[in-house]
Amino acid sequence: MTQPPHGQWPPRGAVQPPPVPGRPPAGPWQGQPAPWQGQPHQFPAPPRKSAGAIVGICLGAVAVLVLGLVAIVALNHNDNTPVANANYAPPAPTPTDPATLPPSGSSSPASSTSAMPTPSTVTSPSAEGPQKVLKLGDHPILQDPNAGLQNRTCSLPPWQSTQDGAEAFFTAASKCLDAAWGPFLEAYHLPFTSPELHFPTGASFDTECGTIQVGIATAAYYCENNLYVPFRGLQTDQYGNNPGVYLALFAHEYGHHVQEVAGLMDAAWQKIYEAGQTSPAGLEMSRRKELQAQCFSGMFLGAHVDQGGTIDRDMYNKAWNDQETRGDNTSRSHDHGTNAHYASWWRAGATNNRIADCNTFSAPSSAVS
């Protein structure tokens, strides 16, 4: 199921000409010649008039002509309306069915008022691109139990624990993620775009979501189509030459981009704002959002392992085992999910590569604690 097709203005139809004065209106014979449109009747020649009668007729004709000229001058002087359009207006445009209007690209409700187009502007609007679908558990991409990412080859440069090395690795990984998720989302008529990558080097960095401090909880960060990977947040002194861990972490943040493009992110944040970010309901919705990104990360690695590229079984296994070290038990928060759930949702995506298995928004509360 995708968005309804973009509607078009209904055709106006042919404009009917104004009625001809003195001509009888069209009757039930529409499409057939009217009685006065058939063969001309033959009339006998009129009888000859006397000379006096002829003079009287001529004087009468002159009087009629003078009166006609006076009438024409008066009509042209009154307003500036062309005589051909007198007492005639073009038909009003047909209102557009609200159900066929292209959906708004914003998460805000559409305005309840709109300007009625004038006859000169009633044309088919240019086709707009795909639109987000602001749904959660009933989102179209989560309904097909057999839908998943294609098995593809992903070639990444060797990991180097340096700023330049990390940038090269994640730039290549982003291209692999684009190639995996782009066709998937486009198949559902969703507006896929690649996220913009940033590699901040300081102790903090500015985003549209605020100033972010680099630390254990910010090895990578996503905000509004921007993906940030601060090298010092990767903790390479702890993880060393372990590209599977870094790749899974990066794929998690890219999973938030998938949510953003699809409309899941906007729908989730709407619920969080309604409930309050620190309320039990708000925190649970945040966990559902984060755990789905975990599942999307697992899907990516599961679809690319052992496909002839550089994502081999060792990288996959290292990422699998690392998931148990991450989550609310480690960060001492309540908005990402326990370490056990953090691992179980990642592994669900990695094992089966089925996006329906990532429907955290329909899972029971006990599965997203």
Side-chain angles (χ1 to χ4, degrees), residues 8-365:
Q8 296 182 347
W9 292 106
R12 292 176 57 196
V15 176
Q16 299 299 319
V20 177
R23 181 172 292 181
W29 51 80
Q30 287 285 0
Q32 301 296 326
W36 38 264
Q37 291 177 327
Q39 294 295 324
H41 296 284
Q42 299 297 322
F43 296 99
R48 295 178 61 86
K49 305 289 185 178
S50 64
I54 292 173
V55 172
I57 291 172
C58 290
L59 292 174
V62 171
V64 170
L65 180 60
V66 171
L67 291 173
L69 290 174
V70 172
I72 290 173
V73 171
L75 285 173
N76 285 332
H77 179 73
N78 187 23
D79 300 326
N80 289 315
T81 305
V83 175
N85 290 336
N87 300 320
Y88 172 71
T94 305
T96 303
D97 180 358
T100 64
L101 284 173
S104 169
S106 170
S107 60
S108 301
S111 173
S112 60
T113 59
S114 58
M116 178 64 70
T118 61
S120 62
T121 62
V122 182
T123 57
S124 298
S126 59
E128 292 187 12
Q131 301 291 322
K132 296 180 180 182
V133 179
L134 272 62
K135 294 185 177 182
L136 294 172
D138 58 343
H139 197 283
I141 67 172
L142 302 175
Q143 305 312 305
D144 186 351
N146 297 314
L149 298 179
Q150 291 184 348
N151 297 118
R152 302 176 61 93
T153 298
C154 177
S155 297
L156 304 173
W159 176 259
Q160 297 180 18
S161 294
T162 63
Q163 178 74 31
D164 291 342
E167 290 187 20
F169 181 87
F170 291 125
T171 299
S174 181
K175 296 185 183 302
C176 290
L177 284 152
D178 287 347
W181 285 109
F184 181 90
L185 294 169
E186 287 168 350
Y188 288 89
H189 201 58
L190 293 167
F192 176 77
T193 55
S194 302
E196 185 172 349
L197 298 183
H198 305 271
F199 301 99
T201 58
S204 64
F205 54 93
D206 295 328
T207 75
E208 292 186 26
C209 301
T211 300
I212 307 302
Q213 301 296 323
V214 177
I216 187 174
T218 53
Y221 189 81
Y222 179 83
C223 173
E224 297 291 338
N225 299 310
N226 291 275
L227 208 166
Y228 302 84
V229 188
F231 176 71
R232 66 171 61 191
L234 296 174
Q235 303 176 70
T236 56
D237 55 340
Q238 176 180 345
Y239 292 101
N241 186 16
N242 203 339
V245 171
Y246 306 129
L247 180 61
L249 192 151
F250 184 76
H252 170 102
E253 297 305 325
Y254 194 101
H256 286 315
H257 182 65
V258 174
Q259 292 173 322
E260 174 69 33
V261 169
L264 290 156
M265 180 74 79
D266 289 346
W269 273 109
Q270 185 175 2
K271 295 291 186 182
I272 293 171
Y273 288 140
E274 289 174 356
Q277 288 184 254
T278 59
S279 69
L283 290 171
E284 180 174 309
M285 182 55 62
S286 178
R287 293 193 296 271
R288 292 180 186 275
K289 172 174 61 69
E290 293 295 334
L291 292 170
Q292 183 176 73
Q294 272 292 91
C295 191
F296 288 172
S297 172
M299 281 181 64
F300 173 77
L301 269 78
H304 291 76
V305 65
D306 296 336
Q307 297 300 315
T310 54
I311 303 179
D312 57 20
R313 183 60 53 172
D314 180 66
M315 288 177 63
Y316 178 85
N317 290 340
K318 294 288 181 58
W320 179 287
N321 294 328
D322 179 68
Q323 302 311 311
E324 295 179 356
T325 70
R326 302 179 185 273
D328 288 344
N329 301 107
T330 300
S331 62
R332 299 186 183 279
S333 60
H334 302 284
D335 56 358
H336 278 61
T338 64
N339 289 27
H341 286 149
Y342 221 62
S344 64
W345 282 102
W346 191 93
R347 292 169 181 172
T351 302
N352 299 319
N353 183 23
R354 294 293 183 269
I355 199 164
D357 293 343
C358 297
N359 194 347
T360 57
F361 297 108
S362 295
S365 296

